[in-house]
Amino acid sequence: MNFIFLLGGLVLGWALGANNTADIFGTAVGTKMVKLRTALVVASIFVILGAILQGSETTRSIGELGKINAIGGSFTVCLATGLTVIWMTRAGFLVSITQALVGGIVGWTIFSGDFLNVDSLGQILKAWVIAPFIAFILAFIIYKVFQSSINNMRANLFTIDYVYRLGFLLLGALGAFSFGANNIANIVGVYIFSNPLKNLSLFGVEISALHLLLFVGSLSIALGILTGSKKVIETVGSKILKLSPLAGLVVVLTETLVLLLFSSNTIRSLLRLMHLPALPLVPISSSQVVIGAMMGIGVARGAGRLVNFGVLKNIILAWIITPLAAGFLSLVMLYFAQNVFQVTVRYPIRYVLDNAAMEKLERAGIPITALHEFSGKVFPNGRTFKMEIQKKGHYRSKEINKIIEIARVDSIVVDSLKLNEIPKKWFTEGELKEFKKLHGRTYVHSWQFYEELLNNEAFMVDTSRLEEVQAFSKKMELLIFLFKHPYQ
Amino acid sequence: MLNVWKKTKDLETKIDQYLDFFIEASLCFREGLSLYIKNNFVKFEEKTQRVDTLESTGDAFRREIENVIYTELLIPESRGDVLAIIENADSVLNKISEVMTEFSIQKPFIPDFMGEPFVVLLDATDRCVQEMIFSTRMYFKNLQEVRDHIIAVMHYEHECDDVGNEMKRAIFSDNSLDLCHKLQTANFVKMVQEVSDKAEDVCDRLSIYVIKRMA
């Protein structure tokens, strides 16, 4: 069964490879600076390298699909998302896996009757609109600066050409490497604890099951790159706007910068320090950024008229259709998986306002007087719980979200034996000893587990250092996924 | 990647060598016709032979450059312009060869009073072609300097026009020559003038390609 589940991830992997290579190498191929064959080979090799060398680090976070609490659900959403993307890619659309994945997860949330956090969904939607605009402005500025600098430089045509080629290949290889490293979690992350693959000994070299899983996952991306990416590469490379090599490089550079803007905590803090509005740290689509950047360059070159608005209209339409289609397909497939194939696609999520939750709410500055009548009562799902709180009418939307988050029952049972499923090097000796001590301990809410470990000396987290807290949170995400005992 | 670097460098060298042919052909043109005026026909024929060889070797080089650019996908952004520049420049080399061959075939009579202005015309033509080659080289090596050389080309082409027209006037106002001689000599002056005209045409196109690269 686990093999079949893994198949869902591999379909998504293929779709990722087929669709996202265009963001990395589309402009390089479009400007004829890199041959299509070279681009495909380099992208495939570096995606695999990124997934294997760096992926075991990033898979410590279990990826977006970790939000789904049953492996059968992850598989179905994976498959629905993958199929949506494959279908759109075949039609030559440049679609976003991130968008499809968010759509798929929303589909699961609706299906499972759980509470849909409209605020965080709104933030993601906002980012999807803002990101291409930021890319537009950034690309416009970078292009203008680069253009005038190159004109003032006494550079040789052949040297410039070679530097462009080198730039495209290096940025492309780097992009493929980090693409492999960052996306492998979305493909095989949820399967690391139900890994159907076993340790393998090849010519005397021991290959761990986890590395095999990463390799198989990355292979599915590479296969997607080699067999399905040509059409989308052509759309990005030449159908929207005829790009010069400089413009192509600016697009790739802008893409890297914008993705960083939406994922770096340091930049977020800097923006705040400068009293500028901070950007939400949410998953954005690299495809949208690429299109935004292209438009910026089109205007910078005074060639806005040359932009193929027909293709552009299709792309924007695809941005709207993708999450909706993935969400809808997930809903339908989840229904069939549960009712026809008898697959467990969700475990119910309960909510309870016990004493610990009440105290936590008080500490968070949320008035609890109105909540006393719910004290100790178990709510069968997030939707009912939310409706009950709303009836009280005292709370703002942010406060309601916080109450729901704190009241969620995760049922954590520390089982130190389960840690054998994770590479030993992910934890220190002290941490492993501590888990043995905590063996058998239960926590109703995941935040209780989180707080206990955060204050535990063995974990040595300096809470004043953001990176340490972030690394700790990632580790916790994985542990919670591992120790969670959802209601059966 | 190293392979691409090598191929790019080879292409650069090939284009440089191709442009070297123009320098030599232009010098042969000036020296050869100067020798012709001094009635040193043997040396003149040697120079004509040399220009002929340069022209056919140049053609082979041009074809090779075109092949390499297209088959190896080199300088994709500028390859259309580069090929046009090379094709245009080729017309100058062809013209030089054509004029010298005509001199060799028709052996026109150049009156003594035309000797000095003819040398001035050849000098201006040679400088015009040399400047055209500099501007073409600068298109590849340093875009900022192309303009300076294009201005020089315009200047020498204008000088060729002035000197040539003066010569034609002098021919037709001389009563010692019969009309067929006058027409033949004037025609040869016109043919020499056409070399600088061709060089000017090359530079006109070149300035458009420069604007394209700067935009």
Side-chain angles (χ1 to χ4, degrees), chain A residues 12 28 46 58 150 185 195-196 201 248 253 258 295 310 323 327 371 409 473 483:
Chain A
L12 186 64
F46 279 88
T58 49
I150 287 176
N195 188 357
S201 184
L253 203 65
V258 175
M295 297 298 110
L371 296 173
V409 176
S473 299
F483 295 145

Side-chain angles (χ1 to χ4, degrees), chain A residues 343-406:
Chain A
V343 175
T344 311
V345 293
R346 68 185 179 97
Y347 293 113
I349 302 169
R350 310 267 195 252
Y351 295 83
V352 65
L353 280 172
D354 51 12
N355 289 342
M358 287 295 211
E359 273 172 31
K360 170 95 174 160
L361 285 172
E362 215 169 7
R363 283 206 302 276
I366 296 171
I368 55 166
T369 334
L371 296 173
H372 275 305
E373 65 176 278
F374 300 139
S375 182
K377 190 177 168 191
V378 178
F379 291 88
N381 59 53
R383 229 179 276 165
T384 324
F385 186 41
K386 190 181 177 183
M387 266 160 40
E388 289 290 334
I389 305 171
Q390 273 172 336
K391 270 187 205 158
K392 292 282 147 202
H394 299 300
Y395 298 103
R396 282 171 291 145
S397 156
K398 263 191 178 167
E399 287 175 330
I400 294 175
N401 288 341
K402 193 81 189 161
I403 296 168
I404 293 174
E405 195 189 313
I406 289 172

Side-chain angles (χ1 to χ4, degrees), chain A residues 70-294:
Chain A
I71 192 90
S74 301
F75 159 76
T76 316
V77 171
C78 244
L79 200 63
T81 309
L83 289 177
T84 311
V85 174
I86 290 170
W87 171 54
M88 302 285 277
T89 307
R90 289 231 155 231
F93 285 119
L94 181 71
V95 294
S96 153
I97 298 274
T98 321
Q99 285 186 320
L101 216 49
V102 170
I105 292 166
V106 168
W108 178 83
T109 315
I110 293 169
F111 181 80
S112 66
D114 195 31
F115 147 77
L116 186 66
N117 191 337
V118 183
D119 279 358
S120 73
L121 192 66
Q123 276 224 322
I124 293 177
L125 290 179
K126 207 164 72 185
W128 287 354
V129 178
I130 297 170
F133 275 105
I134 293 180
F136 178 93
I137 295 163
L138 254 180
F140 180 91
I141 296 168
I142 298 175
Y143 184 80
K144 284 278 181 196
V145 172
F146 274 29
Q147 179 70 38
S148 67
S149 317
I150 287 176
N151 284 345
N152 290 328
M153 258 186 336
R154 293 167 184 274
N156 181 317
L157 173 79
F158 299 98
T159 313
I160 295 177
D161 180 79
Y162 186 75
V163 169
Y164 282 155
R165 264 171 214 276
L166 204 66
F168 271 120
L169 264 186
L170 287 181
L171 277 177
L174 204 70
F177 188 89
S178 62
F179 171 60
N182 293 323
N183 283 287
I184 195 73
N186 277 332
I187 298 166
V188 295
V190 281
Y191 303 107
I192 49 174
F193 302 123
S194 51
N195 188 357
L197 306 166
K198 300 278 168 263
N199 287 358
L200 184 76
S201 184
L202 204 69
F203 307 115
V205 181
E206 192 74 23
I207 304 168
S208 73
L210 174 74
H211 276 105
L212 266 182
L213 184 69
L214 294 172
F215 180 67
V216 170
S218 61
L219 220 54
S220 73
I221 308 182
L223 209 66
I225 293 172
L226 293 171
T227 58
S229 62
K230 197 178 159 201
K231 212 166 180 176
V232 190
I233 286 183
E234 277 168 1
T235 307
V236 174
S238 51
K239 284 195 184 157
I240 302 164
L241 174 72
K242 202 175 175 319
L243 290 172
S244 65
L246 173 66
L249 260 188
V250 172
V251 168
V252 187
L253 203 65
T254 309
E255 183 192 348
T256 316
L257 288 176
V258 175
L259 289 179
L260 204 69
L261 268 180
F262 279 88
S263 62
S264 163
N265 252 319
T266 321
I267 293 177
R268 193 177 155 89
S269 317
L270 266 176
L271 285 173
R272 281 214 171 122
L273 268 177
M274 291 153 76
H275 303 288
L276 289 168
L279 297 164
L281 296 183
V282 292
I284 57 160
S285 150
S286 51
S287 323
Q288 290 181 335
V289 174
V290 166
I291 303 294
M294 278 185 170

Side-chain angles (χ1 to χ4, degrees), chain B residues 2-213:
Chain B
L2 276 174
N3 194 27
V4 175
W5 174 245
K6 196 179 163 293
K7 278 178 186 161
T8 312
K9 278 283 145 197
D10 282 351
L11 176 68
E12 187 180 358
T13 316
K14 265 210 171 67
I15 292 177
D16 258 339
Q17 285 173 337
Y18 177 65
L19 294 177
D20 288 346
F21 294 149
F22 286 76
I23 304 273
E24 196 186 338
S26 178
L27 288 170
C28 285
F29 179 73
R30 194 188 70 186
E31 286 167 7
L33 291 185
S34 301
L35 289 164
Y36 182 89
I37 293 160
K38 288 174 191 157
N39 296 329
N40 191 343
F41 298 118
V42 179
K43 286 272 182 201
F44 162 75
E45 286 301 336
E46 278 175 19
K47 295 285 177 192
T48 307
Q49 273 295 317
R50 179 66 192 146
V51 168
D52 200 38
T53 315
L54 286 170
E55 200 258 340
S56 49
T57 324
D59 277 346
F61 256 75
R62 179 174 54 80
R63 279 187 210 105
E64 210 180 320
I65 290 167
E66 287 169 357
N67 256 335
V68 170
I69 290 180
Y70 270 96
T71 52
E72 304 293 343
L73 287 176
L74 296 174
I75 49 167
E77 190 195 11
S78 326
R79 68 177 171 191
D81 296 348
V82 170
L83 290 179
I85 289 169
I86 288 171
E87 295 268 353
N88 289 338
D90 189 52
S91 65
V92 177
L93 197 54
N94 287 343
K95 195 76 209 173
I96 288 174
S97 169
E98 185 192 317
V99 174
M100 290 192 83
T101 312
E102 283 304 314
F103 265 95
S104 167
I105 296 167
Q106 295 188 33
K107 299 266 176 348
F109 167 70
I110 308 290
D112 286 344
F113 68 90
M114 295 286 290
E116 206 177 314
F118 214 103
V119 172
V120 176
L121 176 65
L122 289 173
D123 211 40
T125 307
D126 175 42
R127 285 187 171 202
C128 187
V129 175
Q130 304 278 355
E131 287 295 336
M132 178 211 90
I133 296 303
F134 290 151
S135 63
T136 309
R137 268 199 223 280
M138 286 308 118
Y139 173 83
F140 296 105
K141 294 182 194 298
N142 183 356
L143 213 54
Q144 302 293 322
E145 279 184 30
V146 176
R147 197 180 139 81
D148 300 345
H149 295 291
I150 289 180
I151 291 169
V153 171
M154 304 297 165
H155 171 82
Y156 289 121
E157 192 275 337
H158 194 67
E159 197 178 319
C160 287
D161 278 354
D162 286 350
V163 176
N165 292 342
E166 271 305 309
M167 286 168 77
K168 282 185 236 168
R169 272 195 196 94
I171 293 164
F172 284 103
S173 52
D174 187 90
N175 293 327
S176 63
L177 295 168
D178 51 28
L179 186 61
C180 65
H181 269 133
K182 283 178 182 174
L183 284 171
Q184 190 193 33
T185 317
N187 188 42
F188 272 88
V189 171
K190 188 173 160 260
M191 278 166 74
V192 174
Q193 277 181 309
E194 277 171 2
V195 174
S196 59
D197 286 343
K198 289 271 179 202
E200 191 191 35
D201 289 346
V202 170
C203 287
D204 282 343
R205 300 289 295 272
L206 197 63
S207 50
I208 294 168
Y209 302 138
V210 170
I211 294 167
K212 260 177 87 179
R213 265 183 67 194

Side-chain angles (χ1 to χ4, degrees), chain A residues 52-72:
Chain A
I52 292 174
L53 300 179
Q54 202 72 44
S56 63
E57 293 295 315
T58 49
T59 345
R60 289 186 195 195
S61 93
I62 44 170
E64 288 294 305
L65 285 162
K67 288 171 185 146
I68 294 170
N69 68 0
I71 192 90

